[in-house]
Amino acid sequence: MNNRRLTPERIRWLHTKSAALRLSPKYISIECAEIWRGEYFSRTGWCAHAPWDASPQWIGENFRKAITTSEYFNVPGAPSVDVEAFNIMQPASNTRRLAFCAEIAATYGYKTIEDIGRRCDVVFTEWHYLVDDIVILRASKRVSGGHSAWPESRKYQDKLIHIPLSSTDEELGLAIREAFSRCEAPGRQKINWPREETG
């Protein structure tokens, strides 16, 4: 049985920040998350969207803002989160998420906010901010009803990209583009990246 004692090193490792990246044929979005034994749309962190062909500089700059403003609310070793604080957070998080989705739908010509999630690829991100400045980018696969991260196994190591947050905005953006190119979808659905560059 694994030793799961909460050593100082493990406590530092458990503290994470996160942001979700979505790419559709029309837009790219970057969404800051707050961590409460699960990830929720941030009430105050950085979120942004742009046309799908946004520059690596824009992607990297906005991703940096999103992941650095992510917040971790768990207390390692505590039996649960602060229930009162969680009950205040959840509706506020949902309200901001719906407003952000409505803005994307209006900007890129979707009829409903449900439509914005169709045919999109997702990259999950993780930063153990008390340990080092390495951000893990996780390509996903589309499954019925959403997206799934690849299992933690040597077989799928090519689905992970590790990059220092101290990299330049352009380097971060290029790494994120590469992560999107490693996403997978069922059947004949086309992967959104890489695309033939225009202009």
Short mmCIF file of all heavy atoms in Angstrom, two decimals, residues 155-194:
data_model
loop_
_atom_site.label_atom_id
_atom_site.label_comp_id
_atom_site.label_asym_id
_atom_site.label_seq_id
_atom_site.Cartn_x
_atom_site.Cartn_y
_atom_site.Cartn_z
N LYS A 155 2.59 4.82 -21.71
CA LYS A 155 2.07 4.66 -23.06
C LYS A 155 1.60 5.99 -23.65
O LYS A 155 1.65 6.20 -24.86
CB LYS A 155 0.92 3.66 -23.03
CG LYS A 155 0.27 3.40 -24.38
CD LYS A 155 -0.85 2.39 -24.24
CE LYS A 155 -1.56 2.17 -25.57
NZ LYS A 155 -2.69 1.21 -25.45
N TYR A 156 1.11 6.91 -22.78
CA TYR A 156 0.53 8.16 -23.27
C TYR A 156 1.38 9.39 -22.93
O TYR A 156 0.86 10.49 -22.89
CB TYR A 156 -0.88 8.32 -22.68
CG TYR A 156 -1.82 7.21 -23.08
CD1 TYR A 156 -2.25 6.26 -22.14
CD2 TYR A 156 -2.27 7.09 -24.39
CE1 TYR A 156 -3.11 5.24 -22.51
CE2 TYR A 156 -3.13 6.06 -24.76
CZ TYR A 156 -3.54 5.14 -23.81
OH TYR A 156 -4.39 4.13 -24.18
N GLN A 157 2.66 9.18 -22.72
CA GLN A 157 3.52 10.31 -22.38
C GLN A 157 3.56 11.37 -23.47
O GLN A 157 3.80 12.55 -23.20
CB GLN A 157 4.93 9.83 -22.05
CG GLN A 157 5.05 9.18 -20.68
CD GLN A 157 4.55 10.07 -19.57
OE1 GLN A 157 5.07 11.16 -19.33
NE2 GLN A 157 3.49 9.64 -18.88
N ASP A 158 3.31 10.96 -24.72
CA ASP A 158 3.33 11.95 -25.81
C ASP A 158 2.13 12.88 -25.75
O ASP A 158 2.07 13.88 -26.48
CB ASP A 158 3.38 11.26 -27.17
CG ASP A 158 2.12 10.46 -27.48
OD1 ASP A 158 1.58 9.82 -26.54
OD2 ASP A 158 1.67 10.48 -28.63
N LYS A 159 1.15 12.59 -24.89
CA LYS A 159 -0.02 13.46 -24.74
C LYS A 159 0.23 14.58 -23.72
O LYS A 159 -0.63 15.43 -23.52
CB LYS A 159 -1.25 12.65 -24.30
CG LYS A 159 -1.63 11.54 -25.29
CD LYS A 159 -1.97 12.09 -26.66
CE LYS A 159 -2.40 10.99 -27.61
NZ LYS A 159 -2.71 11.51 -28.97
N LEU A 160 1.39 14.55 -23.07
CA LEU A 160 1.74 15.56 -22.08
C LEU A 160 2.89 16.41 -22.60
O LEU A 160 3.83 15.92 -23.22
CB LEU A 160 2.18 14.90 -20.76
CG LEU A 160 1.23 13.92 -20.09
CD1 LEU A 160 1.85 13.38 -18.82
CD2 LEU A 160 -0.10 14.58 -19.79
N ILE A 161 2.80 17.70 -22.33
CA ILE A 161 3.89 18.62 -22.64
C ILE A 161 4.23 19.36 -21.36
O ILE A 161 3.34 19.89 -20.69
CB ILE A 161 3.51 19.60 -23.75
CG1 ILE A 161 3.28 18.85 -25.06
CG2 ILE A 161 4.58 20.69 -23.92
CD1 ILE A 161 2.78 19.73 -26.20
N HIS A 162 5.51 19.39 -21.00
CA HIS A 162 5.97 20.14 -19.83
C HIS A 162 6.72 21.37 -20.31
O HIS A 162 7.61 21.26 -21.15
CB HIS A 162 6.91 19.28 -18.97
CG HIS A 162 6.24 18.08 -18.36
ND1 HIS A 162 5.91 16.96 -19.09
CD2 HIS A 162 5.84 17.85 -17.09
CE1 HIS A 162 5.34 16.08 -18.29
NE2 HIS A 162 5.28 16.58 -17.08
N ILE A 163 6.35 22.53 -19.79
CA ILE A 163 7.01 23.77 -20.21
C ILE A 163 7.11 24.72 -19.02
O ILE A 163 6.16 24.84 -18.24
CB ILE A 163 6.27 24.44 -21.40
CG1 ILE A 163 7.04 25.67 -21.87
CG2 ILE A 163 4.81 24.76 -21.05
CD1 ILE A 163 6.60 26.22 -23.21
N PRO A 164 8.25 25.38 -18.86
CA PRO A 164 8.39 26.34 -17.75
C PRO A 164 7.46 27.54 -17.97
O PRO A 164 7.35 28.05 -19.09
CB PRO A 164 9.86 26.76 -17.81
CG PRO A 164 10.55 25.70 -18.62
CD PRO A 164 9.52 25.21 -19.59
N LEU A 165 6.82 27.98 -16.92
CA LEU A 165 5.99 29.19 -17.00
C LEU A 165 6.86 30.41 -17.25
O LEU A 165 6.39 31.44 -17.72
CB LEU A 165 5.18 29.36 -15.72
CG LEU A 165 4.04 30.38 -15.75
CD1 LEU A 165 3.05 30.08 -16.86
CD2 LEU A 165 3.34 30.46 -14.41
N SER A 166 8.15 30.29 -16.97
CA SER A 166 9.08 31.40 -17.22
C SER A 166 9.45 31.52 -18.70
O SER A 166 10.21 32.41 -19.08
CB SER A 166 10.35 31.21 -16.38
OG SER A 166 10.93 29.94 -16.63
N SER A 167 8.92 30.63 -19.55
CA SER A 167 9.13 30.75 -20.99
C SER A 167 8.50 32.04 -21.50
O SER A 167 7.66 32.64 -20.83
CB SER A 167 8.51 29.55 -21.72
OG SER A 167 9.06 28.34 -21.27
N THR A 168 8.87 32.44 -22.69
CA THR A 168 8.26 33.64 -23.28
C THR A 168 6.80 33.36 -23.63
O THR A 168 6.39 32.20 -23.74
CB THR A 168 9.00 34.07 -24.55
OG1 THR A 168 8.80 33.06 -25.57
CG2 THR A 168 10.48 34.27 -24.30
N ASP A 169 6.02 34.41 -23.84
CA ASP A 169 4.63 34.25 -24.25
C ASP A 169 4.53 33.43 -25.53
O ASP A 169 3.69 32.55 -25.66
CB ASP A 169 3.97 35.62 -24.46
CG ASP A 169 3.74 36.36 -23.15
OD1 ASP A 169 3.74 35.72 -22.09
OD2 ASP A 169 3.56 37.59 -23.21
N GLU A 170 5.41 33.72 -26.49
CA GLU A 170 5.37 33.00 -27.76
C GLU A 170 5.69 31.52 -27.57
O GLU A 170 5.04 30.65 -28.15
CB GLU A 170 6.35 33.62 -28.76
CG GLU A 170 6.28 32.95 -30.12
CD GLU A 170 7.13 33.62 -31.18
OE1 GLU A 170 8.08 34.34 -30.80
OE2 GLU A 170 6.84 33.43 -32.37
N GLU A 171 6.68 31.21 -26.72
CA GLU A 171 7.02 29.81 -26.46
C GLU A 171 5.86 29.07 -25.80
O GLU A 171 5.57 27.92 -26.15
CB GLU A 171 8.28 29.74 -25.59
CG GLU A 171 9.56 30.11 -26.32
CD GLU A 171 10.74 30.31 -25.40
OE1 GLU A 171 10.52 30.57 -24.18
OE2 GLU A 171 11.89 30.23 -25.87
N LEU A 172 5.19 29.73 -24.85
CA LEU A 172 4.02 29.12 -24.23
C LEU A 172 2.92 28.87 -25.27
O LEU A 172 2.31 27.80 -25.29
CB LEU A 172 3.47 30.03 -23.12
CG LEU A 172 4.20 30.04 -21.78
CD1 LEU A 172 3.61 31.12 -20.88
CD2 LEU A 172 4.09 28.68 -21.10
N GLY A 173 2.68 29.86 -26.12
CA GLY A 173 1.65 29.74 -27.14
C GLY A 173 1.93 28.61 -28.12
O GLY A 173 1.03 27.86 -28.50
N LEU A 174 3.19 28.48 -28.52
CA LEU A 174 3.56 27.41 -29.45
C LEU A 174 3.41 26.04 -28.79
O LEU A 174 2.98 25.07 -29.43
CB LEU A 174 4.99 27.61 -29.95
CG LEU A 174 5.18 28.79 -30.91
CD1 LEU A 174 6.66 29.04 -31.18
CD2 LEU A 174 4.44 28.54 -32.23
N ALA A 175 3.75 25.94 -27.50
CA ALA A 175 3.58 24.67 -26.78
C ALA A 175 2.10 24.31 -26.69
O ALA A 175 1.73 23.13 -26.82
CB ALA A 175 4.20 24.77 -25.39
N ILE A 176 1.26 25.30 -26.48
CA ILE A 176 -0.19 25.05 -26.40
C ILE A 176 -0.72 24.61 -27.76
O ILE A 176 -1.53 23.68 -27.85
CB ILE A 176 -0.92 26.31 -25.87
CG1 ILE A 176 -0.62 26.49 -24.38
CG2 ILE A 176 -2.43 26.22 -26.13
CD1 ILE A 176 -0.98 27.85 -23.82
N ARG A 177 -0.26 25.25 -28.83
CA ARG A 177 -0.65 24.80 -30.17
C ARG A 177 -0.26 23.34 -30.39
O ARG A 177 -1.02 22.55 -30.96
CB ARG A 177 0.02 25.68 -31.23
CG ARG A 177 -0.66 26.99 -31.49
CD ARG A 177 -0.06 27.65 -32.71
NE ARG A 177 -0.82 28.81 -33.13
CZ ARG A 177 -0.60 29.49 -34.25
NH1 ARG A 177 0.38 29.09 -35.04
NH2 ARG A 177 -1.33 30.52 -34.56
N GLU A 178 0.95 23.00 -29.94
CA GLU A 178 1.42 21.62 -30.09
C GLU A 178 0.53 20.66 -29.30
O GLU A 178 0.19 19.57 -29.77
CB GLU A 178 2.87 21.50 -29.63
CG GLU A 178 3.44 20.09 -29.68
CD GLU A 178 3.46 19.47 -31.06
OE1 GLU A 178 3.52 20.22 -32.07
OE2 GLU A 178 3.40 18.23 -31.15
N ALA A 179 0.13 21.07 -28.09
CA ALA A 179 -0.76 20.23 -27.28
C ALA A 179 -2.09 20.02 -27.99
O ALA A 179 -2.64 18.90 -27.99
CB ALA A 179 -0.97 20.86 -25.90
N PHE A 180 -2.64 21.07 -28.61
CA PHE A 180 -3.89 20.91 -29.36
C PHE A 180 -3.72 19.93 -30.52
O PHE A 180 -4.63 19.17 -30.84
CB PHE A 180 -4.38 22.26 -29.89
CG PHE A 180 -5.21 23.03 -28.91
CD1 PHE A 180 -4.84 24.30 -28.51
CD2 PHE A 180 -6.39 22.51 -28.40
CE1 PHE A 180 -5.60 25.03 -27.61
CE2 PHE A 180 -7.17 23.22 -27.50
CZ PHE A 180 -6.78 24.49 -27.10
N SER A 181 -2.55 19.93 -31.15
CA SER A 181 -2.33 19.03 -32.28
C SER A 181 -2.31 17.57 -31.85
O SER A 181 -2.45 16.67 -32.67
CB SER A 181 -1.02 19.38 -33.00
OG SER A 181 0.11 18.91 -32.27
N ARG A 182 -2.14 17.32 -30.53
CA ARG A 182 -2.10 15.95 -30.01
C ARG A 182 -3.46 15.48 -29.49
O ARG A 182 -3.59 14.35 -29.05
CB ARG A 182 -1.05 15.84 -28.91
CG ARG A 182 0.36 16.18 -29.41
CD ARG A 182 1.40 16.03 -28.32
NE ARG A 182 2.69 16.54 -28.77
CZ ARG A 182 3.83 16.43 -28.08
NH1 ARG A 182 3.82 15.81 -26.91
NH2 ARG A 182 4.95 16.92 -28.55
N CYS A 183 -4.46 16.36 -29.53
CA CYS A 183 -5.81 15.95 -29.13
C CYS A 183 -6.37 14.98 -30.17
O CYS A 183 -5.97 14.99 -31.33
CB CYS A 183 -6.73 17.17 -29.03
SG CYS A 183 -6.35 18.26 -27.64
N GLU A 184 -7.31 14.15 -29.75
CA GLU A 184 -7.90 13.18 -30.65
C GLU A 184 -9.42 13.23 -30.58
O GLU A 184 -9.99 13.65 -29.57
CB GLU A 184 -7.41 11.77 -30.32
CG GLU A 184 -5.93 11.59 -30.61
CD GLU A 184 -5.49 10.14 -30.53
OE1 GLU A 184 -6.38 9.26 -30.45
OE2 GLU A 184 -4.28 9.90 -30.53
N ALA A 185 -10.05 12.81 -31.67
CA ALA A 185 -11.51 12.79 -31.75
C ALA A 185 -11.94 11.49 -32.41
O ALA A 185 -11.19 10.92 -33.20
CB ALA A 185 -12.01 14.00 -32.53
N PRO A 186 -13.14 11.00 -32.12
CA PRO A 186 -13.58 9.73 -32.70
C PRO A 186 -13.95 9.85 -34.17
O PRO A 186 -14.24 10.94 -34.67
CB PRO A 186 -14.82 9.39 -31.86
CG PRO A 186 -15.34 10.72 -31.40
CD PRO A 186 -14.13 11.57 -31.19
N GLY A 187 -13.93 8.72 -34.84
CA GLY A 187 -14.38 8.67 -36.22
C GLY A 187 -13.60 9.58 -37.14
O GLY A 187 -12.39 9.68 -37.06
N ARG A 188 -14.33 10.30 -37.98
CA ARG A 188 -13.68 11.15 -38.97
C ARG A 188 -13.64 12.61 -38.57
O ARG A 188 -13.33 13.47 -39.39
CB ARG A 188 -14.41 11.01 -40.32
CG ARG A 188 -14.35 9.61 -40.89
CD ARG A 188 -15.02 9.56 -42.25
NE ARG A 188 -14.93 8.23 -42.84
CZ ARG A 188 -15.41 7.92 -44.03
NH1 ARG A 188 -16.03 8.84 -44.75
NH2 ARG A 188 -15.29 6.69 -44.51
N GLN A 189 -13.97 12.89 -37.32
CA GLN A 189 -13.94 14.29 -36.89
C GLN A 189 -12.50 14.81 -37.00
O GLN A 189 -11.57 14.14 -36.62
CB GLN A 189 -14.41 14.42 -35.44
CG GLN A 189 -15.88 14.09 -35.28
CD GLN A 189 -16.32 14.33 -33.85
OE1 GLN A 189 -15.98 15.34 -33.25
NE2 GLN A 189 -17.06 13.40 -33.31
N LYS A 190 -12.38 16.02 -37.54
CA LYS A 190 -11.07 16.58 -37.80
C LYS A 190 -10.49 17.21 -36.55
O LYS A 190 -11.18 17.87 -35.78
CB LYS A 190 -11.20 17.65 -38.88
CG LYS A 190 -10.00 17.72 -39.80
CD LYS A 190 -10.29 18.69 -40.93
CE LYS A 190 -9.04 18.88 -41.77
NZ LYS A 190 -9.22 19.91 -42.78
N ILE A 191 -9.23 17.00 -36.34
CA ILE A 191 -8.54 17.69 -35.25
C ILE A 191 -8.31 19.14 -35.67
O ILE A 191 -7.98 19.44 -36.82
CB ILE A 191 -7.19 17.00 -34.95
CG1 ILE A 191 -7.42 15.52 -34.63
CG2 ILE A 191 -6.46 17.69 -33.81
CD1 ILE A 191 -8.35 15.26 -33.49
N ASN A 192 -8.49 20.06 -34.76
CA ASN A 192 -8.45 21.48 -35.12
C ASN A 192 -7.05 22.03 -35.35
O ASN A 192 -6.90 23.08 -35.94
CB ASN A 192 -9.13 22.29 -34.01
CG ASN A 192 -10.62 22.02 -33.97
OD1 ASN A 192 -11.27 22.10 -35.00
ND2 ASN A 192 -11.14 21.67 -32.83
N TRP A 193 -6.03 21.36 -34.86
CA TRP A 193 -4.66 21.82 -35.07
C TRP A 193 -3.81 20.62 -35.38
O TRP A 193 -4.07 19.53 -34.84
CB TRP A 193 -4.11 22.48 -33.79
CG TRP A 193 -3.53 23.83 -34.05
CD1 TRP A 193 -2.53 24.14 -34.93
CD2 TRP A 193 -3.92 25.05 -33.43
NE1 TRP A 193 -2.28 25.48 -34.90
CE2 TRP A 193 -3.10 26.07 -33.99
CE3 TRP A 193 -4.85 25.39 -32.47
CZ2 TRP A 193 -3.20 27.39 -33.59
CZ3 TRP A 193 -4.94 26.69 -32.07
CH2 TRP A 193 -4.13 27.69 -32.64
N PRO A 194 -2.78 20.68 -36.21
CA PRO A 194 -2.37 21.91 -36.89
C PRO A 194 -3.23 22.20 -38.12
O PRO A 194 -3.80 21.30 -38.70
CB PRO A 194 -0.93 21.60 -37.31
CG PRO A 194 -0.91 20.12 -37.47
CD PRO A 194 -1.89 19.56 -36.47
#
